[in-house]
Amino acid sequence: MLSQRYYKELLPRLSPQIDFDVTRFGAVGDGKTDCSEAFKEAINKCNTDGGGRVVVPKGIYLTGAIHLKSNVNLYVSKEATIKFNTDPKIYLPVVFVRWEGVECMNYSPLIYAYERENIAVTGEGVLDGQGANDKWWSWKGKEEAGWVAGMPNQNAARKKLFELGEKGVPVAERIFGHGFYLRPNFFEPYKCKNVLVQGVKFKDSPMWFLNPVLCKNVSIIGVSIDGLGPNNDGCDPESCTDVLIKNCYFNTGDDCIAIKSGRNNDGRRVNVPCSNIIVQGCRMKNGHGGVSIGSELSGGIRNVYAENDTMDSPNLERMLRIKTNSIRGGVVENVYFRNIKVEQVADAVLQIDFYYEEGDAGSFTPLVQNVELKKIESGKSKFAVWIRAYDRSPATNVHFENCTFTNVARPNVLENVKDLSMINVRIMNK
Amino acid sequence: MNSTLLRSFHLVPILNFLMPLILCAQPVVVAPQGWDAFPALLQRITPPTFPPNRF
């Protein structure tokens, strides 16, 4: 009896690692065979046995959506690639997600988890979303993304979703999916605790890459993100608490990192801020913003730390961008950056914009306070600082210390800024 | 003598009122701000293990 219990219960608990190879569950790494069922069975077995690694060995594995369960680490080995099917119907039935900051029922993200604990995607392999102008990206409705007149696009559904969010229609009745053309994100853990993404390479997401929503204790370490498609944000923690983004590489078609907390009335309904975010030792190449805050920030953002990051592409537009308006509202406070090297940015090193998209057209006045930048070195930019806030809500307590901005083309734009301080700051036009 | 004195100055009800407040009083702790709060946050974020450590 004791030995039986030992092998069944105690040994797994003592083992440092328990592996569930997907090929034992029918997966074939030939790039053609649909491995969806094999992934599902391996994950179920791993979960029911108390947890471990679902191992993807060398090879190319084609699959649909992967739904993680508690205590499962999806391990993608070196020389292994998971290719995600580009047939949208594979990602049905719809699941509970946030889409551009509004909760709804939509296509499953390529990797998804809902109310799970201890989940991970790790390894040295590749996760390929296969987004391209003829797959997913044309739904954006922009010609540069492959859309031509007569093709379907997301515009009508996006507008409808935002209307449903404003009206407070129950999420269960906000059903999208097939026929609505709202692209799924790559990895979206929802209401999860203890999430790890480590070592793997993500490429060509249909929409955003990593979007943990309402999660606690999230570690994203040594991950490479490469995708220049429309809305290809790198990592968007949304209404999360305690997030570490460390030693990651971003080459993205939109913001490298965008910290969010829901959009407009739907963000205020959920009302969970994004707080305690660390961005450490990352390299940002292409992207609109190295670190952006918003524009979906209606639940508030606080306690953001960034240090020892490098931004070194001519295509990067801003180092830190806080974007909101009086429809989004939101409180942004306690944003601290230090030891950041910016080779060049096309626009401003720091931008705080209260006139993003709809501008000052609502009744939810945003508040931005306590922004501190220390030891920032920028080699080239149009502006060093560009801040436009409201007279009734100035950007407050913005502090620069030991910063050098060289090759700055234009003078600072400072509209409604209160308690701006600069200590040992050099802004030079050469 | 002492008890008479105490009663005469109404100290007993005063002490009865003050003692719970004194005993419950906590020292005022100011939460660290800015980068001073950073080390504790960094230490708090810990990746999960697989299988989870149940001990």
Side-chain angles (χ1 to χ4, degrees):
Chain A
M1 280 298 285
L2 184 64
S3 64
Q4 209 174 13
R5 189 171 167 239
Y6 172 75
Y7 284 109
K8 269 195 160 179
E9 294 177 28
L10 297 177
L11 184 60
R13 293 182 188 187
L14 292 169
S15 300
Q17 209 156 267
I18 299 170
D19 289 347
F20 301 80
D21 187 324
V22 290
T23 58
R24 275 177 39 213
F25 295 85
V28 180
D30 60 1
K32 298 174 193 166
T33 306
D34 179 20
C35 303
S36 302
E37 276 304 306
F39 276 99
K40 187 177 173 183
E41 285 181 28
I43 288 167
N44 285 343
K45 179 69 174 160
C46 179
N47 169 257
T48 54
D49 281 11
R53 299 195 313 177
V54 168
V55 175
V56 183
K58 181 180 173 182
I60 300 171
Y61 299 84
L62 184 68
T63 183
I66 294 175
H67 288 193
L68 294 177
K69 293 189 170 179
S70 293
N71 306 318
V72 172
N73 173 5
L74 177 66
Y75 182 85
V76 189
S77 305
K78 194 175 181 180
E79 296 185 60
T81 296
I82 300 177
K83 286 199 175 206
F84 288 87
N85 201 314
T86 55
D87 179 359
K89 288 178 188 156
I90 298 280
Y91 299 92
L92 297 171
V94 293
V95 297
F96 195 116
V97 295
R98 248 187 195 179
W99 199 90
E100 285 196 3
V102 179
E103 291 186 328
C104 67
M105 309 300 292
N106 192 33
Y107 289 116
S108 171
L110 310 193
I111 305 175
Y112 179 67
Y114 187 82
E115 290 187 341
R116 306 294 187 190
E117 289 186 22
N118 307 323
I119 57 169
V121 179
T122 66
E124 298 173 74
V126 177
L127 297 119
D128 184 356
Q130 300 203 86
N133 280 1
D134 60 341
K135 304 164 193 165
W136 296 118
W137 292 351
S138 66
W139 290 7
K140 172 73 175 176
K142 293 271 177 74
E143 287 180 0
E144 61 268 28
W147 180 85
V148 291
M151 287 174 73
N153 65 57
Q154 67 181 25
N155 295 341
R158 183 174 184 265
K159 187 178 171 202
K160 183 184 174 190
L161 171 62
F162 293 164
E163 284 171 2
L164 296 178
E166 292 309 293
K167 288 177 185 168
V169 171
V171 178
E173 295 172 25
R174 304 176 194 173
I175 300 168
F176 290 84
H178 182 63
F180 290 92
Y181 309 105
L182 299 180
R183 290 161 289 155
N185 295 324
F186 206 129
F187 178 38
E188 188 170 328
Y190 213 98
K191 294 183 183 172
C192 294
K193 272 169 44 175
N194 310 330
V195 179
L196 170 65
V197 185
Q198 186 167 28
V200 288
K201 298 173 182 67
F202 288 89
K203 57 180 286 199
D204 297 332
S205 175
M207 182 78 183
W208 298 346
F209 276 92
L210 310 181
N211 180 214
V213 183
L214 293 160
C215 293
K216 290 179 180 169
N217 191 30
V218 178
S219 301
I220 296 166
I221 302 169
V223 170
S224 171
I225 292 175
D226 201 339
L228 300 176
N231 304 106
N232 268 186
D233 281 7
C235 182
D236 294 2
E238 187 160 6
S239 299
C240 291
T241 306
D242 295 353
V243 178
L244 172 64
I245 304 167
K246 183 177 178 181
N247 297 342
C248 293
Y249 169 81
F250 297 94
N251 183 39
T252 59
D254 209 311
D255 293 327
C256 297
I257 293 171
I259 301 164
K260 299 173 183 287
S261 59
R263 183 185 178 103
N264 300 353
N265 278 352
D266 207 55
R268 286 183 281 274
R269 176 184 62 82
V270 177
N271 196 26
V272 177
C274 205
S275 57
N276 308 337
I277 313 296
I278 298 173
V279 180
Q280 192 180 51
C282 291
R283 184 177 166 213
M284 286 86 165
K285 203 179 172 192
N286 278 319
H288 291 180
V291 177
S292 286
I293 294 178
S295 72
E296 296 87 354
L297 50 65
S298 303
I301 312 276
R302 62 175 177 243
N303 308 338
V304 177
Y305 297 87
E307 68 168 2
N308 306 332
D309 299 307
T310 306
M311 306 182 187
D312 58 1
S313 163
N315 298 319
L316 196 72
E317 293 179 359
R318 297 159 202 96
M319 178 197 76
L320 168 60
R321 184 186 194 192
I322 301 173
K323 48 184 176 178
T324 182
N325 59 44
S326 59
I327 295 175
R328 302 279 189 285
V331 174
V332 177
E333 61 185 0
N334 311 336
V335 179
Y336 306 101
F337 277 49
R338 69 182 179 191
N339 299 329
I340 311 287
K341 283 192 178 173
V342 181
E343 191 168 294
Q344 55 180 307
V345 288
D347 193 48
V349 179
L350 167 66
Q351 183 186 72
I352 301 175
D353 184 5
F354 280 32
Y355 291 88
Y356 185 73
E357 287 186 345
E358 302 94 327
D360 190 5
S363 56
F364 298 93
T365 300
L367 175 68
V368 174
Q369 61 186 6
N370 308 335
V371 178
E372 181 186 283
L373 275 65
K374 287 183 175 177
K375 289 189 181 174
I376 310 295
E377 284 182 26
S378 169
K380 188 180 180 185
S381 63
K382 188 188 282 184
F383 304 95
V385 186
W386 190 103
I387 300 175
R388 286 188 70 213
Y390 301 151
D391 182 40
R392 64 183 184 279
S393 179
T396 303
N397 193 18
V398 181
H399 178 70
F400 295 83
E401 196 172 320
N402 298 327
C403 298
T404 304
F405 305 96
T406 49
N407 281 315
V408 181
R410 297 189 191 175
N412 291 338
V413 172
L414 299 169
E415 192 176 300
N416 297 312
V417 186
K418 186 182 164 192
D419 298 333
L420 174 74
S421 57
M422 292 191 176
I423 298 172
N424 190 26
V425 173
R426 292 186 298 167
I427 301 175
M428 296 169 284
N429 61 5
K430 283 185 180 176
Chain B
M1 178 64 186
N2 282 344
S3 62
T4 308
L5 188 67
L6 278 172
R7 273 196 299 275
S8 67
F9 285 97
H10 305 289
L11 279 179
V12 171
I14 292 169
L15 285 173
N16 279 345
F17 175 75
L18 286 177
M19 282 310 285
L21 295 176
I22 292 165
L23 290 171
C24 293
Q26 298 287 325
V28 177
V29 177
V30 178
Q33 302 286 318
W35 284 105
D36 291 340
F38 178 73
L41 170 61
L42 189 60
Q43 198 170 23
R44 191 166 70 233
I45 303 173
T46 50
T49 56
F50 299 91
N53 185 357
R54 295 185 176 86
F55 299 101

